[in-house]
Coordinates of all heavy atoms in Angstrom, one line a residue:
M1 N -16.3 13.8 2.3 CA -15.6 14.5 1.3 C -14.2 13.9 1.0 O -13.5 13.5 1.9 CB -15.4 16.0 1.8 CG -14.8 16.9 0.7 SD -14.8 18.6 1.3 CE -13.1 18.6 1.9
V2 N -13.9 13.8 -0.3 CA -12.6 13.2 -0.6 C -11.5 14.3 -0.7 O -11.7 15.3 -1.3 CB -12.7 12.5 -2.0 CG1 -11.3 11.9 -2.4 CG2 -13.7 11.4 -2.0
E3 N -10.4 14.0 0.1 CA -9.4 15.0 0.1 C -8.0 14.4 0.4 O -8.0 13.2 0.8 CB -9.6 16.1 1.1 CG -9.8 15.5 2.5 CD -10.1 16.6 3.6 OE1 -9.6 17.7 3.4 OE2 -10.8 16.2 4.5
F4 N -6.9 15.1 0.1 CA -5.6 14.6 0.4 C -5.3 14.9 1.9 O -5.5 16.0 2.3 CB -4.6 15.2 -0.5 CG -4.5 14.6 -1.8 CD1 -5.1 15.2 -2.9 CD2 -3.7 13.4 -2.0 CE1 -5.0 14.7 -4.2 CE2 -3.7 12.9 -3.3 CZ -4.3 13.5 -4.4
I5 N -4.9 13.8 2.6 CA -4.6 14.0 4.0 C -3.1 13.5 4.2 O -2.7 12.5 3.7 CB -5.5 13.1 4.9 CG1 -7.0 13.6 4.7 CG2 -5.1 13.2 6.3 CD1 -8.0 12.7 5.4
K6 N -2.4 14.3 5.0 CA -1.0 13.9 5.3 C -1.0 12.7 6.3 O -1.7 12.7 7.3 CB -0.3 15.0 6.0 CG 1.2 14.6 6.3 CD 1.9 15.5 7.3 CE 3.2 14.7 7.6 NZ 3.9 15.1 8.8
V7 N -0.3 11.6 5.9 CA -0.4 10.4 6.7 C 1.0 10.0 7.2 O 1.1 9.2 8.1 CB -1.0 9.2 5.9 CG1 -2.5 9.5 5.7 CG2 -0.3 9.0 4.5
A8 N 2.1 10.5 6.6 CA 3.4 10.1 7.0 C 4.5 11.0 6.4 O 4.1 11.9 5.5 CB 3.7 8.7 6.5
S9 N 5.7 10.9 6.9 CA 6.8 11.6 6.3 C 7.6 10.5 5.5 O 7.7 9.4 5.9 CB 7.7 12.2 7.3 OG 7.0 13.1 8.1
K10 N 8.3 11.0 4.4 CA 9.0 10.0 3.5 C 10.1 9.3 4.4 O 10.3 8.1 4.1 CB 9.7 10.8 2.4 CG 8.7 11.1 1.3 CD 9.2 12.2 0.4 CE 10.4 11.9 -0.4 NZ 10.8 13.0 -1.3
S11 N 10.7 10.0 5.3 CA 11.8 9.4 6.0 C 11.4 8.3 7.0 O 12.2 7.5 7.5 CB 12.6 10.4 6.8 OG 11.7 11.1 7.7
E12 N 10.1 8.2 7.2 CA 9.5 7.2 8.2 C 9.5 5.8 7.6 O 9.4 4.8 8.3 CB 8.1 7.5 8.5 CG 7.8 8.5 9.5 CD 6.3 8.7 9.7 OE1 5.7 7.8 10.1 OE2 5.8 9.8 9.4
I13 N 9.5 5.7 6.2 CA 9.3 4.4 5.6 C 10.5 4.0 4.7 O 10.8 4.7 3.7 CB 8.0 4.4 4.7 CG1 6.9 4.9 5.5 CG2 7.8 3.0 4.1 CD1 5.6 5.1 4.7
R14 N 11.2 3.0 5.1 CA 12.4 2.5 4.4 C 12.0 1.9 3.1 O 11.0 1.3 2.9 CB 13.2 1.5 5.2 CG 13.9 2.0 6.4 CD 14.8 0.9 7.0 NE 14.0 -0.2 7.5 CZ 14.4 -1.4 7.5 NH1 15.6 -1.8 7.0 NH2 13.7 -2.4 8.1
N15 N 13.0 2.1 2.1 CA 12.8 1.5 0.8 C 12.5 0.0 0.9 O 13.3 -0.7 1.6 CB 14.0 1.7 -0.1 CG 13.8 1.2 -1.5 OD1 12.7 1.0 -1.9 ND2 14.9 1.1 -2.2
G16 N 11.5 -0.5 0.3 CA 11.2 -1.9 0.3 C 10.2 -2.3 1.4 O 9.8 -3.5 1.5
Y17 N 9.8 -1.4 2.3 CA 8.9 -1.6 3.4 C 7.7 -0.7 3.4 O 7.6 0.1 2.4 CB 9.7 -1.5 4.7 CG 10.7 -2.6 4.8 CD1 12.0 -2.4 4.3 CD2 10.4 -3.8 5.4 CE1 12.9 -3.3 4.4 CE2 11.4 -4.8 5.5 CZ 12.6 -4.6 5.0 OH 13.6 -5.5 5.1
G18 N 6.9 -0.8 4.4 CA 5.7 0.0 4.4 C 5.3 0.4 5.8 O 6.0 0.1 6.8
K19 N 4.1 1.0 5.9 CA 3.6 1.5 7.2 C 2.1 1.3 7.1 O 1.5 1.5 6.0 CB 3.9 2.9 7.4 CG 3.4 3.5 8.6 CD 3.8 5.0 8.8 CE 3.1 5.5 10.1 NZ 3.4 6.8 10.4
V20 N 1.5 0.8 8.2 CA 0.0 0.7 8.2 C -0.6 2.0 8.7 O -0.2 2.6 9.7 CB -0.4 -0.5 9.1 CG1 -2.0 -0.5 9.2 CG2 0.1 -1.8 8.6
I21 N -1.5 2.6 7.9 CA -2.2 3.8 8.2 C -3.6 3.5 8.5 O -4.3 2.9 7.7 CB -2.1 4.8 7.0 CG1 -0.7 4.9 6.5 CG2 -2.8 6.1 7.4 CD1 0.2 5.7 7.3
D22 N -4.1 3.9 9.7 CA -5.5 3.7 10.0 C -6.2 5.1 10.0 O -5.8 6.0 10.8 CB -5.7 3.1 11.4 CG -5.3 1.6 11.4 OD1 -5.8 0.9 10.5 OD2 -4.4 1.2 12.2
I23 N -7.1 5.3 9.0 CA -7.6 6.6 8.8 C -9.0 6.5 8.3 O -9.3 5.7 7.4 CB -6.7 7.4 7.9 CG1 -7.1 8.9 7.9 CG2 -6.6 6.9 6.5 CD1 -6.0 9.8 7.3
N24 N -9.9 7.3 8.8 CA -11.3 7.4 8.3 C -12.0 6.0 8.3 O -12.7 5.6 7.3 CB -11.4 8.0 6.9 CG -11.2 9.5 7.0 OD1 -10.9 10.1 8.0 ND2 -11.3 10.2 5.8
G25 N -11.6 5.1 9.3 CA -12.2 3.8 9.3 C -11.6 2.8 8.4 O -12.1 1.7 8.2
K26 N -10.6 3.2 7.7 CA -9.9 2.3 6.7 C -8.5 2.0 7.2 O -7.9 2.8 7.8 CB -9.8 2.9 5.3 CG -11.1 3.2 4.7 CD -10.9 4.0 3.4 CE -12.2 4.5 2.9 NZ -12.9 3.7 1.9
S27 N -8.1 0.8 6.9 CA -6.7 0.4 7.1 C -5.9 0.3 5.8 O -6.4 -0.4 4.9 CB -6.6 -1.0 7.9 OG -5.3 -1.3 8.3
I28 N -4.9 1.1 5.7 CA -4.2 1.3 4.4 C -2.7 0.9 4.5 O -2.1 1.3 5.5 CB -4.4 2.7 3.9 CG1 -5.8 3.0 3.6 CG2 -3.5 3.0 2.7 CD1 -6.2 4.5 3.3
A29 N -2.2 0.2 3.5 CA -0.7 -0.1 3.5 C -0.1 1.0 2.6 O -0.4 1.1 1.4 CB -0.5 -1.5 2.9
L30 N 0.8 1.7 3.2 CA 1.6 2.7 2.5 C 3.0 2.2 2.3 O 3.7 1.9 3.2 CB 1.6 4.0 3.3 CG 2.4 5.2 2.7 CD1 1.8 5.7 1.4 CD2 2.4 6.4 3.7
M31 N 3.3 1.9 1.0 CA 4.6 1.2 0.7 C 5.6 2.1 0.0 O 5.2 2.9 -0.9 CB 4.2 0.0 -0.2 CG 3.2 -0.9 0.3 SD 3.4 -1.6 2.0 CE 4.9 -2.6 1.8
N32 N 6.8 1.9 0.3 CA 7.9 2.6 -0.4 C 8.6 1.6 -1.3 O 9.4 0.7 -0.9 CB 8.9 3.1 0.6 CG 10.1 3.8 0.0 OD1 10.4 3.7 -1.2 ND2 10.9 4.4 0.9
N33 N 8.4 1.7 -2.6 CA 9.1 0.9 -3.6 C 10.0 1.8 -4.4 O 9.6 2.5 -5.3 CB 8.0 0.2 -4.5 CG 8.6 -0.8 -5.5 OD1 8.1 -1.1 -6.5 ND2 9.7 -1.4 -5.1
N34 N 11.3 1.7 -4.1 CA 12.3 2.5 -4.7 C 12.0 4.0 -4.6 O 12.1 4.7 -5.6 CB 12.6 2.1 -6.2 CG 13.2 0.7 -6.2 OD1 14.0 0.3 -5.4 ND2 12.8 -0.1 -7.2
E35 N 11.7 4.4 -3.5 CA 11.4 5.8 -3.2 C 10.1 6.3 -3.9 O 9.9 7.6 -4.0 CB 12.6 6.7 -3.4 CG 13.8 6.3 -2.6 CD 13.6 6.2 -1.1 OE1 12.7 6.9 -0.5 OE2 14.2 5.3 -0.5
K36 N 9.4 5.4 -4.5 CA 8.0 5.8 -5.0 C 7.0 5.2 -4.0 O 7.2 4.1 -3.6 CB 7.8 5.2 -6.4 CG 8.6 5.9 -7.4 CD 8.0 5.6 -8.8 CE 8.8 6.5 -9.8 NZ 9.4 5.7 -10.9
F37 N 6.0 6.0 -3.7 CA 5.1 5.6 -2.6 C 3.7 5.2 -3.2 O 3.2 5.9 -4.1 CB 5.0 6.7 -1.6 CG 6.3 7.0 -0.8 CD1 7.2 7.8 -1.4 CD2 6.5 6.3 0.3 CE1 8.5 8.0 -0.7 CE2 7.7 6.5 1.0 CZ 8.7 7.3 0.5
F38 N 3.2 4.1 -2.7 CA 1.9 3.6 -3.1 C 1.0 3.3 -1.9 O 1.5 2.9 -0.9 CB 2.1 2.3 -3.9 CG 3.0 2.5 -5.1 CD1 4.3 2.3 -5.1 CD2 2.4 2.8 -6.4 CE1 5.1 2.5 -6.2 CE2 3.2 2.9 -7.5 CZ 4.5 2.8 -7.4
A39 N -0.3 3.5 -2.1 CA -1.2 3.2 -1.0 C -2.3 2.2 -1.5 O -2.9 2.4 -2.5 CB -1.9 4.4 -0.5
V40 N -2.4 1.1 -0.8 CA -3.4 0.0 -1.1 C -4.1 -0.4 0.1 O -3.5 -0.2 1.2 CB -2.8 -1.2 -1.8 CG1 -2.1 -0.8 -3.2 CG2 -1.8 -1.9 -0.9
E41 N -5.2 -1.0 0.0 CA -5.9 -1.6 1.1 C -4.9 -2.5 1.9 O -4.2 -3.2 1.3 CB -7.0 -2.4 0.5 CG -8.0 -3.1 1.3 CD -9.0 -3.9 0.5 OE1 -9.1 -3.7 -0.8 OE2 -9.6 -4.8 1.0
N42 N -5.0 -2.4 3.2 CA -4.0 -3.2 4.0 C -4.3 -4.6 4.2 O -3.4 -5.4 4.4 CB -3.9 -2.5 5.4 CG -2.9 -3.2 6.3 OD1 -1.8 -3.4 5.9 ND2 -3.3 -3.5 7.5
T43 N -5.6 -5.0 4.0 CA -6.0 -6.4 4.3 C -5.9 -7.3 3.2 O -6.6 -7.2 2.2 CB -7.4 -6.3 4.9 OG1 -7.5 -5.4 5.9 CG2 -7.9 -7.7 5.4
C44 N -5.1 -8.3 3.3 CA -4.9 -9.3 2.2 C -6.2 -10.1 1.9 O -6.9 -10.4 2.9 CB -3.8 -10.3 2.6 SG -3.4 -11.5 1.3
K45 N -6.5 -10.3 0.6 CA -7.7 -11.0 0.3 C -7.6 -12.5 0.5 O -8.7 -13.2 0.4 CB -8.0 -10.8 -1.2 CG -8.2 -9.3 -1.6 CD -9.5 -8.8 -1.0 CE -9.8 -7.4 -1.6 NZ -10.9 -6.8 -0.9
H46 N -6.5 -13.0 0.9 CA -6.4 -14.4 1.2 C -7.0 -14.7 2.6 O -8.1 -15.2 2.7 CB -4.9 -14.9 1.1 CG -4.7 -16.3 1.4 ND1 -3.6 -16.8 2.1 CD2 -5.5 -17.4 1.2 CE1 -3.7 -18.1 2.2 NE2 -4.8 -18.5 1.7
M47 N -6.3 -14.3 3.6 CA -6.8 -14.6 5.0 C -6.6 -13.4 5.9 O -6.5 -13.5 7.1 CB -6.1 -15.8 5.6 CG -6.4 -17.1 4.9 SD -5.6 -18.6 5.5 CE -6.3 -18.8 7.1
G48 N -6.6 -12.2 5.3 CA -6.6 -11.0 6.1 C -5.2 -10.5 6.6 O -5.2 -9.7 7.5
G49 N -4.1 -11.0 6.0 CA -2.8 -10.6 6.5 C -2.6 -9.1 6.3 O -3.2 -8.5 5.4
P50 N -1.7 -8.5 7.1 CA -1.5 -7.0 7.1 C -0.4 -6.7 6.1 O 0.8 -6.8 6.3 CB -1.0 -6.7 8.5 CG -0.4 -8.0 9.0 CD -1.0 -9.1 8.3
L51 N -0.8 -6.3 4.9 CA 0.1 -6.1 3.8 C 1.2 -5.0 4.1 O 2.3 -5.1 3.7 CB -0.6 -5.7 2.5 CG -1.5 -6.8 2.0 CD1 -2.4 -6.3 0.9 CD2 -0.7 -8.0 1.5
G52 N 0.8 -4.0 4.9 CA 1.7 -2.9 5.3 C 2.8 -3.4 6.1 O 3.8 -2.7 6.3
E53 N 2.7 -4.6 6.7 CA 3.8 -5.1 7.5 C 4.7 -6.1 6.7 O 5.6 -6.7 7.2 CB 3.2 -5.9 8.7 CG 2.5 -5.0 9.7 CD 1.8 -5.7 10.9 OE1 2.2 -6.9 11.1 OE2 0.9 -5.1 11.5
G54 N 4.3 -6.2 5.4 CA 5.1 -7.0 4.5 C 6.2 -6.1 3.9 O 6.5 -5.0 4.3
N55 N 6.7 -6.6 2.8 CA 7.7 -5.8 2.0 C 7.2 -5.7 0.6 O 6.2 -6.2 0.2 CB 9.1 -6.3 2.2 CG 9.3 -7.7 1.8 OD1 8.4 -8.3 1.3 ND2 10.5 -8.2 2.0
C56 N 8.0 -4.9 -0.2 CA 7.7 -4.7 -1.6 C 8.9 -4.7 -2.4 O 10.0 -4.3 -2.0 CB 6.8 -3.5 -1.8 SG 7.5 -1.9 -1.3
E57 N 8.7 -5.1 -3.7 CA 9.8 -5.1 -4.7 C 9.2 -5.2 -6.0 O 8.1 -5.8 -6.2 CB 10.8 -6.2 -4.4 CG 10.2 -7.6 -4.5 CD 11.2 -8.7 -4.1 OE1 12.2 -8.4 -3.5 OE2 11.0 -9.8 -4.5
D58 N 9.9 -4.7 -7.0 CA 9.5 -4.7 -8.4 C 8.0 -4.3 -8.6 O 7.3 -4.9 -9.4 CB 9.6 -6.2 -9.0 CG 11.1 -6.6 -8.9 OD1 12.0 -5.7 -9.0 OD2 11.3 -7.8 -8.8
G59 N 7.6 -3.3 -7.9 CA 6.2 -2.8 -8.1 C 5.1 -3.7 -7.4 O 4.0 -3.5 -7.7
K60 N 5.5 -4.6 -6.6 CA 4.6 -5.5 -5.9 C 4.7 -5.4 -4.4 O 5.8 -5.4 -3.9 CB 4.8 -6.9 -6.4 CG 4.4 -7.2 -7.8 CD 4.7 -8.6 -8.2 CE 6.0 -8.5 -9.0 NZ 6.6 -9.5 -9.5
V61 N 3.6 -5.6 -3.7 CA 3.6 -5.8 -2.3 C 3.4 -7.2 -2.0 O 2.6 -7.9 -2.6 CB 2.6 -4.9 -1.5 CG1 1.2 -5.1 -2.0 CG2 2.6 -5.1 0.0
I62 N 4.2 -7.8 -1.0 CA 4.1 -9.2 -0.7 C 3.6 -9.4 0.7 O 4.1 -8.8 1.6 CB 5.5 -9.8 -0.9 CG1 6.0 -9.6 -2.3 CG2 5.5 -11.3 -0.5 CD1 7.4 -9.3 -2.4
C63 N 2.5 -10.2 0.8 CA 1.9 -10.4 2.1 C 2.8 -11.2 3.0 O 3.4 -12.2 2.6 CB 0.6 -11.2 1.9 SG -0.3 -11.5 3.5
P64 N 3.0 -10.7 4.3 CA 3.9 -11.3 5.2 C 3.4 -12.7 5.7 O 4.2 -13.4 6.3 CB 4.0 -10.3 6.4 CG 2.7 -9.6 6.3 CD 2.3 -9.5 4.9
W65 N 2.1 -13.0 5.5 CA 1.6 -14.3 6.0 C 1.9 -15.5 5.1 O 2.5 -16.5 5.6 CB 0.1 -14.2 6.3 CG -0.2 -13.4 7.6 CD1 0.8 -12.7 8.4 CD2 -1.4 -13.3 8.3 NE1 0.1 -12.1 9.4 CE2 -1.2 -12.4 9.4 CE3 -2.7 -13.7 8.0 CZ2 -2.2 -12.1 10.3 CZ3 -3.7 -13.4 8.9 CH2 -3.5 -12.6 10.0
H66 N 1.5 -15.4 3.9 CA 1.7 -16.6 3.0 C 2.2 -16.2 1.6 O 2.2 -17.0 0.7 CB 0.4 -17.4 2.8 CG -0.4 -17.6 4.1 ND1 -1.5 -16.8 4.5 CD2 -0.2 -18.5 5.1 CE1 -2.0 -17.2 5.6 NE2 -1.2 -18.2 6.1
G67 N 2.6 -15.0 1.4 CA 3.3 -14.6 0.2 C 2.5 -14.2 -1.0 O 3.0 -14.1 -2.1
W68 N 1.2 -14.1 -0.9 CA 0.4 -13.5 -2.0 C 1.0 -12.2 -2.4 O 1.4 -11.4 -1.5 CB -1.1 -13.4 -1.7 CG -1.8 -14.7 -1.7 CD1 -1.4 -15.9 -1.5 CD2 -3.3 -14.8 -2.0 NE1 -2.4 -16.8 -1.6 CE2 -3.6 -16.2 -1.9 CE3 -4.3 -13.9 -2.3 CZ2 -4.9 -16.6 -2.2 CZ3 -5.6 -14.3 -2.5 CH2 -5.8 -15.7 -2.4
S69 N 1.0 -11.8 -3.6 CA 1.5 -10.5 -4.0 C 0.5 -9.8 -4.9 O -0.3 -10.4 -5.6 CB 2.9 -10.6 -4.7 OG 2.8 -11.4 -5.9
Y70 N 0.6 -8.5 -4.8 CA -0.3 -7.6 -5.5 C 0.5 -6.5 -6.2 O 1.4 -5.9 -5.6 CB -1.3 -6.9 -4.5 CG -2.1 -7.9 -3.7 CD1 -1.6 -8.5 -2.6 CD2 -3.4 -8.3 -4.1 CE1 -2.4 -9.4 -1.8 CE2 -4.2 -9.1 -3.4 CZ -3.6 -9.7 -2.2 OH -4.4 -10.6 -1.5
D71 N 0.0 -6.1 -7.4 CA 0.6 -4.9 -8.1 C 0.3 -3.7 -7.3 O -0.9 -3.4 -7.0 CB 0.0 -4.9 -9.5 CG 0.6 -3.8 -10.4 OD1 0.4 -2.6 -10.1 OD2 1.4 -4.2 -11.3
L72 N 1.3 -2.9 -7.0 CA 1.0 -1.7 -6.2 C 0.3 -0.6 -7.0 O -0.4 0.2 -6.3 CB 2.4 -1.1 -5.8 CG 3.0 -1.8 -4.6 CD1 4.5 -1.4 -4.5 CD2 2.3 -1.6 -3.3
K73 N 0.3 -0.6 -8.3 CA -0.4 0.5 -9.1 C -1.9 0.1 -9.2 O -2.8 0.9 -9.0 CB 0.2 0.6 -10.4 CG 1.4 1.5 -10.5 CD 1.8 1.8 -11.9 CE 3.2 2.4 -11.9 NZ 4.0 2.1 -13.0
T74 N -2.1 -1.2 -9.6 CA -3.5 -1.5 -9.9 C -4.2 -2.2 -8.7 O -5.4 -2.3 -8.7 CB -3.5 -2.5 -11.1 OG1 -2.9 -3.8 -10.6 CG2 -2.8 -2.0 -12.3
G75 N -3.5 -2.7 -7.7 CA -4.0 -3.5 -6.6 C -4.4 -4.9 -7.0 O -4.8 -5.7 -6.2
K76 N -4.1 -5.3 -8.3 CA -4.5 -6.7 -8.7 C -3.5 -7.7 -8.2 O -2.3 -7.5 -8.2 CB -4.5 -6.8 -10.2 CG -5.7 -6.0 -10.8 CD -5.7 -6.1 -12.3 CE -6.9 -5.4 -12.9 NZ -6.8 -5.3 -14.3
N77 N -4.0 -8.9 -7.8 CA -3.2 -10.0 -7.4 C -2.4 -10.5 -8.6 O -2.9 -10.5 -9.7 CB -4.2 -11.1 -6.9 CG -3.4 -12.3 -6.3 OD1 -2.9 -13.1 -7.1 ND2 -3.3 -12.4 -5.0
T78 N -1.2 -10.8 -8.4 CA -0.3 -11.1 -9.5 C -0.6 -12.5 -10.1 O -0.1 -12.8 -11.2 CB 1.2 -11.0 -9.1 OG1 1.4 -11.8 -8.0 CG2 1.6 -9.6 -8.8
F79 N -1.3 -13.3 -9.4 CA -1.6 -14.6 -10.0 C -3.1 -14.7 -10.5 O -3.4 -15.5 -11.3 CB -1.4 -15.8 -8.9 CG 0.0 -15.8 -8.5 CD1 0.4 -15.3 -7.3 CD2 1.0 -16.4 -9.3 CE1 1.8 -15.4 -6.9 CE2 2.3 -16.4 -8.9 CZ 2.7 -15.9 -7.7
N80 N -3.9 -13.9 -9.9 CA -5.3 -13.9 -10.3 C -5.9 -12.5 -10.3 O -6.2 -11.9 -9.2 CB -6.1 -14.8 -9.3 CG -7.6 -14.9 -9.7 OD1 -8.1 -14.2 -10.6 ND2 -8.3 -15.7 -9.0
E81 N -6.0 -11.9 -11.5 CA -6.3 -10.5 -11.6 C -7.8 -10.2 -11.2 O -8.2 -9.0 -11.1 CB -6.0 -10.0 -13.0 CG -4.6 -10.0 -13.3 CD -4.2 -9.1 -14.5 OE1 -5.2 -8.8 -15.3 OE2 -3.1 -8.8 -14.7
E82 N -8.5 -11.2 -11.0 CA -9.9 -11.0 -10.5 C -9.9 -10.6 -9.0 O -10.9 -10.0 -8.6 CB -10.7 -12.4 -10.6 CG -10.6 -13.1 -11.9 CD -11.8 -12.6 -12.8 OE1 -12.9 -12.8 -12.4 OE2 -11.5 -12.1 -13.9
I83 N -8.8 -10.9 -8.4 CA -8.7 -10.5 -6.9 C -8.0 -9.2 -6.9 O -6.8 -9.1 -7.4 CB -7.9 -11.6 -6.2 CG1 -8.6 -12.9 -6.2 CG2 -7.7 -11.2 -4.7 CD1 -7.8 -14.1 -5.7
K84 N -8.6 -8.2 -6.3 CA -8.1 -6.9 -6.4 C -8.2 -6.1 -5.1 O -9.3 -6.1 -4.5 CB -8.8 -6.1 -7.5 CG -8.3 -4.8 -7.9 CD -9.0 -4.2 -9.1 CE -8.6 -2.8 -9.5 NZ -8.7 -1.9 -8.4
L85 N -7.2 -5.4 -4.7 CA -7.2 -4.5 -3.5 C -7.7 -3.1 -4.0 O -7.4 -2.7 -5.1 CB -5.8 -4.3 -2.9 CG -5.1 -5.6 -2.5 CD1 -3.6 -5.2 -2.2 CD2 -5.7 -6.2 -1.3
E86 N -8.3 -2.4 -3.0 CA -8.6 -1.0 -3.3 C -7.2 -0.2 -3.3 O -6.3 -0.5 -2.6 CB -9.5 -0.4 -2.2 CG -10.1 0.9 -2.6 CD -11.3 1.2 -1.6 OE1 -11.8 0.3 -0.9 OE2 -11.6 2.4 -1.6
T87 N -7.1 0.8 -4.2 CA -5.9 1.6 -4.3 C -6.3 3.0 -4.0 O -7.4 3.4 -4.2 CB -5.2 1.5 -5.7 OG1 -6.2 1.9 -6.7 CG2 -4.8 0.1 -6.0
Y88 N -5.3 3.8 -3.5 CA -5.5 5.2 -3.2 C -4.4 6.0 -3.8 O -3.3 5.7 -3.9 CB -5.4 5.4 -1.6 CG -6.4 4.5 -0.9 CD1 -6.1 3.2 -0.5 CD2 -7.7 5.0 -0.7 CE1 -7.0 2.4 0.1 CE2 -8.7 4.2 0.0 CZ -8.3 2.9 0.4 OH -9.2 2.1 1.0
E89 N -4.9 7.2 -4.3 CA -3.9 8.2 -4.9 C -3.0 8.7 -3.8 O -3.4 9.1 -2.8 CB -4.8 9.3 -5.6 CG -4.0 10.0 -6.7 CD -4.9 11.0 -7.3 OE1 -6.2 10.7 -7.5 OE2 -4.4 12.1 -7.7
V90 N -1.7 8.8 -4.2 CA -0.7 9.4 -3.3 C -0.1 10.6 -3.9 O 0.1 10.7 -5.1 CB 0.4 8.3 -3.1 CG1 1.6 8.9 -2.2 CG2 -0.1 7.1 -2.4
K91 N 0.1 11.6 -3.0 CA 0.8 12.8 -3.5 C 1.9 13.1 -2.5 O 1.8 12.9 -1.3 CB -0.2 14.0 -3.4 CG 0.2 15.2 -4.0 CD -0.9 16.2 -4.4 CE -1.3 17.0 -3.2 NZ -2.4 18.0 -3.5
I92 N 3.1 13.6 -3.1 CA 4.2 13.9 -2.3 C 4.3 15.5 -2.3 O 4.2 16.1 -3.3 CB 5.5 13.3 -2.9 CG1 5.4 11.8 -3.0 CG2 6.7 13.8 -2.0 CD1 5.2 11.1 -1.7
D93 N 4.4 16.0 -1.1 CA 4.6 17.4 -0.9 C 5.8 17.7 0.0 O 5.7 17.6 1.2 CB 3.3 18.0 -0.3 CG 3.4 19.5 -0.1 OD1 4.3 20.2 -0.7 OD2 2.6 20.1 0.7
G94 N 7.0 17.9 -0.7 CA 8.2 18.0 0.1 C 8.5 16.7 0.7 O 8.6 15.6 0.1
E95 N 8.6 16.7 2.1 CA 8.9 15.5 2.9 C 7.6 14.7 3.2 O 7.6 13.6 3.7 CB 9.6 15.9 4.1 CG 10.0 14.9 5.1 CD 10.9 13.7 4.6 OE1 11.5 13.9 3.6 OE2 10.9 12.7 5.2
N96 N 6.4 15.4 3.0 CA 5.2 14.8 3.4 C 4.6 13.9 2.4 O 4.6 14.1 1.2 CB 4.2 15.9 3.7 CG 4.6 16.8 4.9 OD1 5.3 16.3 5.8 ND2 4.3 18.0 4.8
I97 N 3.9 12.8 2.9 CA 3.2 11.9 2.0 C 1.7 12.1 2.3 O 1.3 12.0 3.5 CB 3.5 10.4 2.2 CG1 5.0 10.2 2.1 CG2 2.8 9.5 1.3 CD1 5.5 8.8 2.5
L98 N 0.9 12.3 1.3 CA -0.5 12.5 1.4 C -1.3 11.5 0.7 O -0.8 11.0 -0.4 CB -0.9 13.9 0.9 CG -0.3 15.1 1.6 CD1 1.0 15.5 0.9 CD2 -1.2 16.3 1.6
I99 N -2.4 11.1 1.2 CA -3.3 10.1 0.5 C -4.6 10.7 0.3 O -5.2 11.4 1.2 CB -3.4 8.8 1.4 CG1 -2.1 8.1 1.6 CG2 -4.5 7.8 0.8 CD1 -2.2 6.8 2.4
K100 N -5.2 10.4 -0.9 CA -6.5 10.9 -1.2 C -7.6 9.9 -0.7 O -7.5 8.8 -1.0 CB -6.7 11.1 -2.7 CG -7.9 11.8 -3.1 CD -7.9 12.0 -4.6 CE -9.0 13.0 -5.1 NZ -9.0 13.1 -6.5
I101 N -8.4 10.4 0.2 CA -9.3 9.5 0.9 C -10.6 10.2 1.2 O -10.7 11.4 1.3 CB -8.7 8.9 2.1 CG1 -9.4 7.7 2.6 CG2 -8.5 10.0 3.2 CD1 -8.5 6.8 3.4
Ligands
FES201 S1 -3.2 -13.8 4.3 FE1 -2.0 -12.9 2.8 S2 -1.1 -14.5 1.7 FE2 -2.4 -15.5 3.2

């Protein structure tokens, strides 16, 4: 069943950074880009780098391993749109961050 699940508090994730969430057998990068929160697949399509351990700016998450970047809204790689991460809907409820999964 698809539902919103609380995965973090807003204060846990600094602006420009993220958190890796392991839930329902998936690894998800939850990113704070200017106090807007986005959730994308955590595993980089290049060589499997952990995107949630990278940083983000200008609406993009940047892989900490070799610098590939992805649009946080669409999940598309910024150099090759054929390469795409799964994205997840995020809802804010007060201080809580929820992901639809
Ligand atoms: S593993 Fe992400 S850029 Fe290489």
Side-chain angles (χ1 to χ4, degrees):
M1 189 174 94
V2 177
E3 59 182 324
F4 280 99
I5 298 173
K6 184 198 167 196
V7 291
S9 299
K10 282 162 62 177
S11 58
E12 283 178 62
I13 308 173
R14 284 189 297 146
N15 184 19
Y17 293 88
K19 178 179 179 181
V20 177
I21 310 288
D22 290 309
I23 191 165
N24 288 3
K26 295 172 192 268
S27 186
I28 296 172
L30 179 61
M31 308 304 296
N32 176 351
N33 187 205
N34 291 328
E35 304 308 325
K36 288 199 173 121
F37 294 86
F38 299 88
V40 298
E41 184 182 342
N42 184 47
T43 307
C44 180
K45 299 290 188 188
H46 179 216
M47 293 176 72
L51 295 169
E53 294 176 20
N55 57 6
C56 60
E57 59 185 21
D58 300 331
K60 291 175 260 183
V61 57
I62 299 142
C63 181
W65 283 9
H66 316 101
W68 281 27
S69 61
Y70 300 86
D71 185 290
L72 282 165
K73 279 191 193 145
T74 65
K76 289 180 178 174
N77 183 279
T78 55
F79 298 104
N80 181 352
E81 294 196 344
E82 308 270 303
I83 300 170
K84 187 176 176 304
L85 302 170
E86 194 166 345
T87 59
Y88 302 89
E89 202 175 324
V90 173
K91 188 162 86 176
I92 303 298
D93 179 16
E95 176 61 20
N96 298 325
I97 307 172
L98 299 89
I99 295 178
K100 191 174 189 180
I101 196 156

